[in-house]
Amino acid sequence: MTEDEMRKRLQALKIEHRDLDAAIAALTDAGGPDQLQVARLKKRKLRLKDQVSQIEDYLTPDIIA
């Protein structure tokens, strides 16, 4: 995967993460009994966050000053 492809993937993951955040907020505000769905969305959101972190770590090299 090239650096440009990684940056595009990173942007897509961030958008999906933000969308999941909005969906979780909407479900929580509605106060519906579907807590299982909220839990699944939160779990998916955490996986996305991990993927974002991995790509960002790869794209940002460690420089010892």
Side-chain angles (χ1 to χ4, degrees):
M1 187 179 270
T2 68
E3 189 173 320
D4 286 338
E5 290 172 335
M6 290 182 89
R7 290 188 190 283
K8 288 178 185 176
R9 175 76 176 143
L10 179 63
Q11 192 64 23
L13 289 172
K14 286 183 177 182
I15 291 170
E16 188 176 353
H17 186 269
R18 188 174 45 235
D19 291 346
L20 279 174
D21 198 30
I24 290 168
L27 282 173
T28 304
D29 290 344
D34 202 3
Q35 293 302 315
L36 182 60
Q37 181 68 19
V38 171
R40 287 179 180 159
L41 290 175
K42 285 183 178 182
K43 197 172 194 179
R44 185 171 174 199
K45 185 179 164 188
L46 284 173
R47 282 193 303 261
L48 286 174
K49 184 178 178 183
D50 288 343
Q51 289 177 356
V52 166
S53 294
Q54 285 178 342
I55 293 173
E56 286 177 340
D57 287 348
Y58 183 81
L59 291 174
T60 308
D62 292 337
I63 299 174
I64 300 173

